[in-house]
Amino acid sequence: MTEYKIALVGFGGVNRGLAQLIATSNARWQATLGFSLKIVGVTDLFLGSVVDRDGLDAAALAALPAEKGALAQIAGGTAEAFNETVIKQSGADIIAEATFTNPVDGEPAATFCRWALESGIHVVTTNKGPIALHGAELKALARQHNVAFEYEGAVMSGTPVIRLAKQALAGSQIQGFEGILNGTSNYVLTRMKAGMAFADAVAEAQQLGYAEADPTADVEGYDVRLKVVILANELLDARLTVSDVTCSGISGISAADIVKAQATGQCWKLIGAASKAADGSVAASVEARLLPLEHPLAGINGAVNAVSFNTGLLGAVTVSGPGAGRIETAYALLSDIIALHTTDRR
Amino acid sequence: MTEYKIALVGFGGVNRGLAQLIATSNARWQATLGFSLKIVGVTDLFLGSVVDRDGLDAAALAALPAEKGALAQIAGGTAEAFNETVIKQSGADIIAEATFTNPVDGEPAATFCRWALESGIHVVTTNKGPIALHGAELKALARQHNVAFEYEGAVMSGTPVIRLAKQALAGSQIQGFEGILNGTSNYVLTRMKAGMAFADAVAEAQQLGYAEADPTADVEGYDVRLKVVILANELLDARLTVSDVTCSGISGISAADIVKAQATGQCWKLIGAASKAADGSVAASVEARLLPLEHPLAGINGAVNAVSFNTGLLGAVTVSGPGAGRIETAYALLSDIIALHTTDRR
């Protein structure tokens, strides 16, 4: 039985969810997965930081109030976020990086990942920024130091996409993919199909907690674009940057467009897609597309996400599931740890 | 680079498809998967058998006419099916078993699997019979001899279900599943929704090659029942036998039922399902169910198959794709070989 020491970097919903899972499930993981997790450090720009090499109480961490400097309430804790200390000096085997996504330069998450990988520490993350903007560099760093760099949760939270494609569909000749990769925009389109106006549907998505106060990144496709970059580079061996992906959103779609689509047996979806040409070049886009009702993504409604892989040997294989959520995304970190646990690094 | 010697047992569409893939893709597999395959034997009750430890020509095998005794046309071949010789004496590292499914006792496929496993030879198969009826025994035999026994293709041809659940969804707390696991019956229901009568839809499915001359096993749920047994035992640690699964089909559904369902925003699907209760007991069934249109399986139309896993941490995660097809099912054998190649048996 292995016990991994883990440090949590960023202590918002996702890493709190992981602390909660550790508090409730460690004993079962020992029996079923062959490992358990011991939290040896936590750091968060708002909450502060704490290190304890003997292990912190996961349940107490999960119950911590969301108040500025709250980690000072834990024995040995402080209201300051000593990120570098927690990452490099806590004795962690694994860093769970779940800070905010910075779509411009991926910082400070990318630096947090670099610190860990250079120190020979595994990194699991749900953060799109470092992968979409610095993926090749960070993967090379992980290889160089023979540690894991896993990020299943960066695309569809806990719904498996990257490992599904790379492991379960290995050898199937993936030539491209189409995805519904943003729950907010899909929820808005679903509600518009039921007769709601765009602005009202956005407001409802905000009330339900799907959409941010500023929904621009969701409805204009910027969030999907980062995910398309990640998937295209991962599954199609592309080397795309964000500017290589043409991008438009759903804000231009009117109630009349929706009605017209339904009348012709079609539906509008915000699709992030990429495909590989015979010469190896990869074209990628984010745009609202009219799908025929028999398309594998046409029936994906509400906040659900989905990716349909276009494979040479199987045709379309589609996976759908949650694309967000606290526990759902925390599970992605667990699935990354399962993957690193079962990988032979000798 | 590894070269696996493989013997093909049963040389219908699936193993012919594998021979075709080997003929066209071996060089790429060497580069991308780290192994290649050399066919050292073929046996088929109708076509005869052949052994050549130096390797048979995969393209010539794939092009063999479907005539009784045709393997005698290959150098060293004979019109008799020397199954035991091909399995035990061809020097094969792997047996690809793709004979017909016998839903009563799983024979002769189960014996073919036993011969191989007892001889320390890996088995990959797409045959539901041995798994549904003798799965526990054969898995124990494989463990005892430290060889692989893989059967991803027994449920949804090449669409990953077993490995998706056991690997990519490990730790997600799978509590049950619902599946559309028979393409013929789903095609019939889809056509009935478009106004066709049951008998006409079955006839069309037969014309298209989806349905057998005797469609009973498809439309009465017997085919799905075998798959439910396999999935429940594999994913829910059940020990079900076929008689533990209540089973009914779609032949009792009338055009009026279909119309009534549509009027209430629902649709009929033939669902194979199992779920685990808090006490660990597993209940399983095959039956036509009325699904609300927002159900993850409601939009699965035509001959497509799908399984929706009910997980504790992610809610519903659904995979859909082909459930049959020559090359699609041959890919399942390839995916099994990839799995055994990447498993550390030390």
Side-chain angles (χ1 to χ4, degrees):
Chain A
M1 219 282 298
T2 307
E3 180 183 71
Y4 291 109
K5 297 188 284 296
I6 188 166
L8 311 180
V9 178
F11 201 60
V14 174
N15 265 336
R16 266 175 199 263
L18 185 59
Q20 186 184 327
L21 289 179
I22 292 170
T24 56
S25 307
N26 237 350
R28 187 176 52 227
W29 294 345
Q30 287 182 18
T32 57
L33 302 174
F35 65 80
S36 64
L37 301 178
K38 181 161 86 176
I39 303 173
V40 293
V42 180
T43 182
D44 182 278
L45 291 173
F46 180 71
L47 299 168
S49 57
V50 62
V51 168
D52 187 340
R53 288 173 166 249
D54 292 332
L56 293 152
D57 181 335
L61 286 171
L64 198 75
E67 300 162 9
K68 185 155 180 60
L71 280 166
Q73 300 169 22
I74 305 274
T78 156
E80 273 188 81
F82 293 114
N83 297 309
E84 193 165 2
T85 303
V86 169
I87 291 170
K88 295 184 177 174
Q89 312 282 328
S90 64
D93 306 304
I94 303 170
I95 298 297
E97 203 286 327
T99 64
F100 62 97
T101 289
N102 176 334
V104 177
D105 65 4
E107 295 296 354
T111 294
F112 296 160
C113 293
R114 268 184 218 109
W115 283 342
L117 297 172
E118 285 168 352
S119 307
I121 300 169
H122 302 298
V123 172
V124 297
T125 181
T126 58
N127 195 322
K128 296 180 286 292
I131 324 300
L133 302 170
H134 306 280
E137 175 213 336
L138 295 171
K139 279 192 266 187
L141 209 51
R143 271 195 302 276
Q144 188 187 330
H145 293 273
N146 193 28
V147 290
F149 180 52
E150 299 281 340
Y151 37 84
E152 180 66 82
V155 179
M156 260 169 56
S157 79
T159 304
V161 182
I162 294 173
R163 272 192 287 276
L164 170 61
K166 298 197 79 161
Q167 293 178 2
L169 289 173
S172 69
Q173 305 173 19
I174 295 179
Q175 298 158 346
F177 64 85
E178 295 174 293
I180 292 177
L181 296 167
N182 181 274
T184 299
S185 53
N186 202 51
Y187 182 84
V188 168
L189 289 174
T190 303
R191 295 301 285 151
M192 288 176 76
K193 213 160 66 175
M196 199 173 261
F198 175 79
D200 295 337
V202 170
E204 187 176 276
Q206 287 169 323
Q207 275 160 24
L208 290 167
Y210 297 147
E212 306 284 330
D214 177 358
T216 310
D218 290 327
V219 300
E220 297 303 345
Y222 307 142
D223 172 67
V224 175
R225 182 167 56 174
L226 291 175
K227 294 167 178 173
V228 167
V229 168
I230 293 170
L231 282 181
N233 291 350
E234 198 68 29
L235 310 184
L236 304 177
D237 295 320
R239 292 174 169 213
L240 299 187
T241 61
V242 169
S243 62
D244 294 325
V245 183
T246 62
C247 184
S248 57
I250 61 166
S251 59
I253 295 180
S254 68
D257 293 330
I258 302 271
V259 170
K260 199 169 141 192
Q262 286 185 292
T264 55
Q266 299 175 94
C267 68
W268 284 102
K269 293 290 181 191
L270 181 61
I271 300 293
S275 61
K276 195 167 195 158
D279 67 359
S281 66
V282 172
S285 64
V286 180
E287 62 185 356
R289 286 191 191 169
L290 261 182
L291 303 184
L293 288 183
E294 60 273 20
H295 189 284
L297 299 178
I300 306 297
N301 289 317
V304 176
N305 284 19
V307 172
S308 190
F309 303 102
N310 174 22
T311 75
L313 299 185
L314 299 171
V317 173
T318 306
V319 63
S320 67
R326 215 169 58 83
I327 291 292
E328 291 84 346
T329 312
Y331 167 72
L333 295 173
L334 174 65
S335 78
D336 285 344
I337 295 167
I338 293 170
L340 75 86
H341 178 67
T342 52
T343 298
D344 185 358
R345 292 183 191 284
R346 282 170 296 188
Chain B
M1 221 280 298
T2 308
E3 181 182 70
Y4 291 109
K5 296 187 283 296
I6 188 166
L8 312 180
V9 177
F11 201 60
V14 174
N15 266 335
R16 264 175 201 264
L18 184 59
Q20 186 184 327
L21 289 178
I22 292 170
T24 56
S25 308
N26 237 349
R28 187 175 54 227
W29 294 346
Q30 288 182 17
T32 58
L33 302 174
F35 66 80
S36 63
L37 300 177
K38 181 161 86 177
I39 303 173
V40 293
V42 180
T43 181
D44 183 277
L45 292 174
F46 179 72
L47 300 168
S49 58
V50 62
V51 167
D52 187 340
R53 288 173 167 248
D54 293 330
L56 293 153
D57 181 335
L61 287 170
L64 198 74
E67 300 162 8
K68 186 156 179 59
L71 280 166
Q73 299 169 21
I74 306 273
T78 154
E80 272 188 84
F82 293 113
N83 297 309
E84 193 165 1
T85 304
V86 168
I87 291 171
K88 295 184 178 174
Q89 312 283 328
S90 63
D93 307 304
I94 304 170
I95 298 296
E97 202 286 328
T99 63
F100 62 97
T101 290
N102 176 336
V104 178
D105 64 5
E107 295 295 354
T111 294
F112 297 160
C113 293
R114 267 183 219 109
W115 283 342
L117 297 172
E118 285 168 350
S119 308
I121 299 169
H122 302 298
V123 172
V124 297
T125 180
T126 58
N127 194 322
K128 296 181 287 291
I131 325 298
L133 303 170
H134 306 281
E137 175 213 337
L138 295 171
K139 279 192 266 188
L141 210 51
R143 271 194 301 276
Q144 188 186 329
H145 293 273
N146 193 29
V147 290
F149 180 51
E150 299 282 340
Y151 38 83
E152 180 66 82
V155 180
M156 259 168 57
S157 79
T159 304
V161 182
I162 295 173
R163 272 190 288 274
L164 170 61
K166 297 197 81 161
Q167 294 178 2
L169 289 173
S172 68
Q173 304 172 19
I174 295 179
Q175 298 158 344
F177 63 85
E178 295 174 292
I180 292 177
L181 296 167
N182 181 273
T184 299
S185 54
N186 202 50
Y187 182 83
V188 167
L189 289 173
T190 302
R191 296 300 285 152
M192 287 177 76
K193 214 161 63 176
M196 201 174 260
F198 175 79
D200 295 337
V202 170
E204 187 176 275
Q206 287 169 323
Q207 275 159 23
L208 290 166
Y210 298 147
E212 306 283 329
D214 178 357
T216 309
D218 291 326
V219 300
E220 297 303 345
Y222 307 142
D223 172 67
V224 175
R225 182 167 57 175
L226 291 176
K227 295 168 178 173
V228 166
V229 169
I230 294 171
L231 282 181
N233 291 350
E234 198 70 27
L235 310 185
L236 305 176
D237 294 320
R239 292 175 171 213
L240 300 187
T241 61
V242 168
S243 61
D244 295 323
V245 183
T246 61
C247 184
S248 58
I250 62 167
S251 59
I253 295 179
S254 68
D257 293 329
I258 301 271
V259 169
K260 200 170 142 191
Q262 285 184 293
T264 56
Q266 299 175 92
C267 68
W268 284 101
K269 293 289 181 192
L270 181 61
I271 300 293
S275 61
K276 194 167 196 160
D279 67 359
S281 66
V282 172
S285 64
V286 180
E287 61 185 356
R289 286 191 191 169
L290 261 181
L291 303 184
L293 288 185
E294 59 274 20
H295 189 286
L297 299 179
I300 306 297
N301 289 317
V304 175
N305 283 19
V307 172
S308 190
F309 304 101
N310 173 22
T311 75
L313 299 184
L314 299 171
V317 173
T318 307
V319 63
S320 66
R326 214 170 59 85
I327 291 292
E328 293 84 345
T329 312
Y331 167 73
L333 295 172
L334 174 65
S335 78
D336 285 345
I337 296 167
I338 294 170
L340 75 86
H341 178 68
T342 53
T343 299
D344 184 358
R345 295 184 187 281
R346 282 170 296 188

